[in-house]
Amino acid sequence: MQMPHRILQRAVLAFAVACALSIPAFAHPGSGIAVDKNGHVYFLDTGSGLWKIDAKGKLTKLSSTRFHWLALDANNGFANARLPTGASGEIEKVGSNPAALIASDWPIAISQNGNLYFPTGSPGRLQIKQMSPTGNTSVFATLPATTKGSPLLHVNGITVGPKGELYYTENNSIRRINANGIVSTMATVPALDGGPSIPGIEADSRPHLRGLEVDEKGVMYVAASGDGRALKITPEGKVTTLVQTQSPWSPTGVALFGNDVYVLEYLHTARDVRTDWVPRVRKIASDGSSKIIATIERGVGEGK
């Protein structure tokens, strides 16, 4: 029996939505990078797992699953907690002092008071969940259903601000969630005119904002993966380009330590093969100088 046209349309739409939901987990490199209180840099390599750069620049491979997002649990608060698994993605703990929480399908963040935050839901029905170290989970905020007139498919990045508020990225916007769960727009970033074509990133998603951090003054630092840029944005909306990479390299995440900015960059590819995505870490010092401090070498098992 032939399927009625309206039912067929719904089936096609459901399939398209399912495909859209699969994009965050499987079709892009990771954006997880963080720095602990001692200046040690941790970053996720979607092709091989978690790496650490110590304060002297030594690069060490840590045993972990090949996930996408990272948050540091400085106080090991989730050492005995049952972390989320299932339809909203999986979160694992790696090591201690600090523990690294790594996530498969959704970005994660840990607040100063030790709560874990992560998005869940389906397109147009996304929420931010809050989980305490004791395992209590609640809805922190329900996100606007649409962005640019279309359903909000996923959250690209998330971080905690200086006063405990949350910030998250969509393709072209940074939004803020206050303590009452109210969402406001902090910045809207247009695509870069004549910007580079980054393999694997659709033109209509540019600038494709991903990993972000916010300093104690409310200044936002974000990876514009679709334009090959790492940006600094003041609370007043002034945008400064910290680095412009050359395609196929592009930033995916940022981390702060003092006045220094660390940028996780990946060699992008349109192929959905994790080992094709090669990461490197750039340090941008307070004087504006920039240098690559680590690059992963495929097939060697070590970085430099």
Side-chain angles (χ1 to χ4, degrees):
M1 184 175 68
Q2 187 175 12
M3 184 181 294
H5 180 65
R6 184 170 296 177
I7 296 176
L8 178 61
Q9 281 185 320
R10 291 174 180 172
V12 171
L13 177 60
F15 176 76
V17 168
C19 290
L21 281 175
S22 72
I23 289 173
F26 304 112
H28 62 68
S31 64
I33 183 168
V35 187
D36 70 16
K37 64 180 181 181
N38 296 314
H40 301 154
V41 181
Y42 300 79
F43 67 96
L44 277 170
D45 173 3
T46 316
S48 68
L50 183 64
W51 293 84
K52 174 184 175 181
I53 310 169
D54 70 17
K56 295 182 179 180
K58 180 182 177 181
L59 182 64
T60 304
K61 177 70 174 62
L62 305 178
S63 177
S64 78
T65 308
R66 300 182 302 167
F67 281 172
H68 290 79
W69 286 277
L70 165 68
L72 293 183
D73 180 12
N75 299 315
N76 298 310
F78 290 88
N80 300 313
R82 182 176 179 179
L83 293 167
T85 60
S88 295
E90 187 174 0
I91 300 176
E92 293 183 359
K93 184 181 77 71
V94 180
S96 60
N97 299 315
L101 299 189
I102 61 173
S104 59
D105 294 354
W106 295 104
I108 57 176
I110 295 179
S111 66
Q112 295 88 336
N113 60 4
N115 289 325
L116 173 67
Y117 295 89
F118 54 94
T120 65
S122 57
R125 298 180 179 180
L126 296 180
Q127 295 179 323
I128 301 293
K129 293 287 186 68
Q130 173 184 280
M131 179 180 178
S132 71
T134 60
N136 293 325
T137 303
S138 59
V139 175
F140 182 75
T142 297
L143 304 186
T146 61
T147 177
K148 298 177 66 175
S150 299
L152 177 61
L153 296 179
H154 43 257
V155 171
N156 295 347
I158 185 172
T159 193
V160 179
K163 298 180 180 179
E165 68 277 51
L166 293 185
Y167 291 73
Y168 70 92
T169 52
E170 300 172 3
N171 286 341
N172 74 331
S173 299
I174 300 175
R175 306 200 193 276
R176 177 181 179 269
I177 309 173
N178 69 14
N180 296 318
I182 298 173
V183 180
S184 58
T185 301
M186 298 302 295
T188 298
V189 181
L192 181 66
D193 288 339
S197 175
I198 307 298
I201 296 181
E202 298 294 332
D204 60 2
S205 76
R206 294 178 52 222
H208 199 76
L209 304 181
R210 292 197 65 198
L212 78 161
E213 287 287 347
V214 181
D215 70 14
E216 68 279 358
K217 296 181 180 179
V219 177
M220 297 162 280
Y221 298 79
V222 64
S225 294
D227 287 343
R229 295 186 292 167
L231 306 175
K232 174 183 177 180
I233 307 174
T234 67
E236 295 75 34
K238 180 183 177 181
V239 179
T240 302
T241 297
L242 298 176
V243 64
Q244 172 77 68
T245 59
Q246 291 187 339
S247 183
W249 289 96
S250 186
T252 63
V254 295
L256 304 178
F257 183 70
N259 294 318
D260 298 330
V261 182
Y262 291 85
V263 183
L264 177 61
E265 301 173 357
Y266 266 90
L267 189 152
H268 281 62
T269 172
R271 297 202 323 156
D272 186 8
V273 179
R274 292 189 177 205
T275 52
D276 282 359
W277 300 322
V278 180
R280 67 187 184 188
V281 176
R282 181 188 302 272
K283 178 182 178 181
I284 303 173
S286 56
D287 62 4
S289 61
S290 171
K291 67 177 181 178
I292 302 298
I293 61 172
T295 303
I296 302 304
E297 298 176 330
R298 290 286 182 249
V300 177
E302 296 180 341
K304 65 178 182 180

